[in-house]
Amino acid sequence: MAYKITDELPAFIGKPMDWALVVMKIIATFSGFLMAFTFGAVVIIRYGFGGDLFAYEEWLLGISIVGFFAGAVLASERKLHINADILGIIIHNPRLIWWRSLVILVIELVVILFIIYASYLAIEYDLSRPRLRGTPVLRIPFVTWRIAIMVAFGFMATYSAAYLYVHIRKGLGLPLKADTLEEAAE
């Protein structure tokens, strides 16, 4: 049965996560349109008029990084990341399937939390330098992109933790909100 993960969480957690998804959809859509428009403009300006769009690579790189990670957050919410797990094919025992899923969710969360920590260390390193490193022309600090990446992984960790929470609830035999709504409708 399909359910929306944020609906299975307490409202004070699930509602802000829903709002974050709206923001991520806007960011991903905006960055996608901006990249398409910019590349189209570059082709027209460069090959049509023999000109150059000044330093577009620098600001577009930052926007594309933020847009990419906003899309990754959306994929985390829907569990659409690629999963190359051969055990899902050969294990048929429901109890073993639950334990396998638990192990996968815990590993996923631990890896994401490690990446957040590594991002924090990269940001801390950048901020400890006497002068922030940045892009050559516009001097956009690299630390801004690292902060965006850390925030995105933070959201990804939040959705991974939500799936882990719901998975444990199901394993304990506690009903999901979607199940109780379905029973009430019958």
Side-chain angles (χ1 to χ4, degrees):
M1 180 180 137
Y3 58 89
K4 188 174 164 193
I5 193 67
T6 55
D7 290 344
E8 300 299 330
L9 302 172
F12 73 94
I13 297 171
K15 290 299 176 195
M17 289 173 69
D18 280 337
W19 300 333
L21 288 176
V22 170
V23 171
M24 295 300 156
K25 287 176 187 174
I26 292 168
I27 291 171
T29 303
F30 173 76
S31 68
F33 281 128
L34 186 63
M35 284 188 286
F37 175 77
T38 303
F39 290 133
V42 165
V43 168
I44 291 169
I45 292 170
R46 181 173 292 156
Y47 300 112
F49 300 109
D52 190 21
L53 190 59
F54 179 72
Y56 77 92
E57 302 96 342
E58 292 184 6
W59 56 265
L60 192 60
L61 175 64
I63 291 171
S64 65
I65 288 171
V66 171
F68 172 81
F69 279 102
V73 170
L74 293 171
S76 289
E77 185 267 337
R78 293 176 177 90
K79 289 195 74 73
L80 292 176
H81 288 291
I82 296 172
N83 186 353
D85 181 17
I86 193 73
L87 293 177
I89 297 170
I90 54 178
I91 295 177
H92 301 290
N93 180 332
R95 187 176 173 96
L96 288 177
I97 290 171
W98 185 87
W99 279 105
R100 179 192 124 281
S101 296
L102 179 71
V103 169
I104 289 170
L105 287 168
V106 168
I107 290 170
E108 179 181 312
L109 185 59
V110 167
V111 167
I112 291 173
L113 291 173
F114 175 77
I115 292 171
I116 291 170
Y117 176 69
S119 298
Y120 168 77
L121 291 178
I123 292 167
E124 184 181 53
Y125 173 75
D126 274 353
L127 294 177
S128 71
R129 296 174 61 94
R131 189 167 162 210
L132 288 177
R133 294 177 298 160
T135 59
V137 178
L138 299 177
R139 303 296 305 152
I140 300 170
F142 294 138
V143 72
T144 57
W145 300 331
R146 288 187 175 100
I147 290 170
I149 291 169
M150 187 176 81
V151 168
F153 273 111
F155 279 114
M156 291 166 67
T158 303
Y159 291 104
S160 292
Y163 276 104
L164 180 61
Y165 167 78
V166 170
H167 185 74
I168 291 171
R169 282 184 57 89
K170 286 193 315 190
L172 294 173
L174 300 172
L176 298 177
K177 291 178 184 175
D179 294 338
T180 56
L181 290 175
E182 187 177 278
E183 290 172 6
E186 292 175 352

